[in-house]
Amino acid sequence: MTIVVPIYDDPEGVVACVESLIANVDLTRDKIILSNDLGPQADNIESLLLQLIGSNPGFSYNRNAENLGFVLNCNRAVLELDRSGNDVLLLNSDTVTTPGFVEELSAVLYSSPRHGVVTARSNNATIASLPDARRVASTRRPVGRSREVHAAVLPHLPRFTIAPVAMGFCFLVRRELIDAHGFFDETFSPGYGEENDFCLRMDLVGYRSVLANRALVFHTGSTSFSGDRGRSLRFAHEKILVERYPFYVGALQLYRDSGRDPVDFFADTFAPGDALRRIAVLLPARPTPTDRERADAVLANLPADYRATLLSTSGRSSGLRPPRRDKAVARAGATDALFDGVVLLGPVRTLADVTAAARLAPRVIVSVPHTGHRGWQERVHDAETHSFSSLAEDIADTVCGSTTIDVVTALANAVEQPIDVARLRRRWTLLGHVSSAAGLHLYPRRASLKRRAALALGSLSPRASSHLRNIVGRR
């Protein structure tokens, strides 16, 4: 393949990127094009690069006559400078590669004739980030943490995952697609959104975007476009995407809901990173005073090294009161955090209770007023009353009684055991089918008017962008 590295600024990052390529790429087989786009430190970067690559025949160095911007710089390198006929790996200059990444990306690309674009996993790559969801949602993903989580889930992840788009920081494309369809659309110049546009164009002609789960490339991100300009470009080009590809918003939501492997979704819990046990106690929909008393009792009796959050699937959390200072309350649909285990307090009255519990943690403990064999009399009663307790028990790791001792003991036993990956996948698949059949998850065929208006306003007034993120994140 030909690896194209477009360069604008950040000398230290550029040097780290090229050093990692020298270490991890077989330059007797693959070639590398470094394309300097005349950023503010162009001369310094050129001097550093020429000294670094020397006379190595695997490298070629280009300096543009003028600043072209990211999109045009990439197009020139791919369409004009590279005459090899190789597949093209576009690699951002703020990346650091790891051993075997080239071979793995190529193997995934050619594992199916329908694979058109492949990207690696990373610490900073939107849907390709690992971990994506986190036990503490506000924490960052430093390189060491992503490396640790990747190592923990690698034995369990599938080799690749089909996604709506591939990430442009590490973007391997079949040369035949470039020859037939061109490369980046200059509408997205100077940058942002061009790689998503390419992937969606290729999807329409039958080629998939793929995440190579065994390949790892670290990424700093946002070193070329920062401040108001970067935010303005991001909003403006996102607006183009959702108008050009109305299905894009729904595709991303569908991928997040069911397109990923559950090991990927819960990756952060496979290598917790601390000694705490993070627990959710989920009240049923329309909780009764007895339900609240049971929840309070469970929370009050958890061990000191447990951090618990009391959740409700109802629309409000304002009526919840944690019994201890180190406990939090929230609405299940409003939390971005993952937990090591979740307790679903029965009786389970809605499908939303079951699906919410299954997406909060890889270990599900269902507490019901009875244990043991569920006879036909009880099953008929459940069917008549539209109870979902049977389904909850079917997807549970542990079913326990309703006393505080029962629940706390079952919870402690469950979270000390390794995650049962086979059970996790069965649960994920079952609830995906049930939720789809019940119409619980709906996927828009186009972005809402509110979202499109927010994107337009954000592109005109970038300083308002932070206030618009919640709006833009909606369907």
Side-chain angles (χ1 to χ4, degrees), residues 14 96 103 150 193 207 261 263 292 299 319 325 338 364 389 397 410 453:
V14 171
V96 174
E103 292 77 9
H150 186 254
Y207 289 90
D261 188 271
V263 172
R292 295 173 186 272
L299 293 173
R325 281 183 147 185
L338 295 179
V364 178
S389 290
D397 290 83

Side-chain angles (χ1 to χ4, degrees), residues 112-283:
S112 167
R114 294 290 90 188
H115 290 181
V117 188
V118 179
T119 195
R121 305 307 300 268
S122 182
N123 62 306
N124 181 19
T126 59
I127 62 173
S129 298
L130 198 67
D132 183 9
R134 280 147 287 167
R135 292 163 74 243
V136 181
S138 61
T139 56
R140 298 179 65 83
R141 304 181 195 88
V143 166
R145 178 63 185 153
S146 287
R147 192 190 299 274
E148 178 185 19
V149 173
H150 186 254
V153 298
L154 195 57
H156 308 293
L157 280 178
R159 188 171 195 179
F160 61 82
T161 303
I162 306 300
V165 293
M167 305 300 104
F169 80 105
C170 178
F171 198 76
L172 176 61
V173 186
R174 287 180 184 266
R175 172 58 77 168
E176 64 195 74
L177 296 189
I178 297 171
D179 292 341
H181 304 283
F183 200 40
F184 290 153
D185 185 339
E186 294 178 9
T187 301
F188 293 89
S189 184
Y192 280 131
E194 68 284 335
E195 78 278 27
N196 292 341
D197 174 76
F198 182 84
C199 290
L200 295 169
R201 277 194 285 131
M202 295 307 99
D203 182 74
L204 292 176
V205 295
Y207 289 90
R208 295 170 169 175
S209 298
V210 186
L211 309 185
N213 292 323
R214 297 179 187 173
L216 189 62
V217 174
F218 301 113
H219 179 218
T220 300
S222 299
T223 58
S224 296
F225 304 107
S226 59
D228 288 352
R229 184 176 185 235
R231 288 192 292 269
S232 178
L233 287 170
R234 190 178 290 114
F235 278 113
H237 293 175
E238 179 78 4
K239 182 174 182 293
I240 295 172
L241 285 172
V242 299
E243 290 175 345
R244 186 176 286 184
Y245 309 100
F247 61 89
Y248 179 45
V249 175
L252 288 174
Q253 187 60 44
L254 179 60
Y255 171 77
R256 290 189 180 280
D257 283 349
S258 59
R260 290 179 290 183
D261 188 271
V263 172
D264 198 343
F265 184 83
F266 290 111
D268 206 37
T269 64
F270 279 76
D274 60 39
L276 297 175
R277 298 289 183 265
R278 300 189 183 275
I279 304 302
V281 176
L282 184 63
L283 283 169

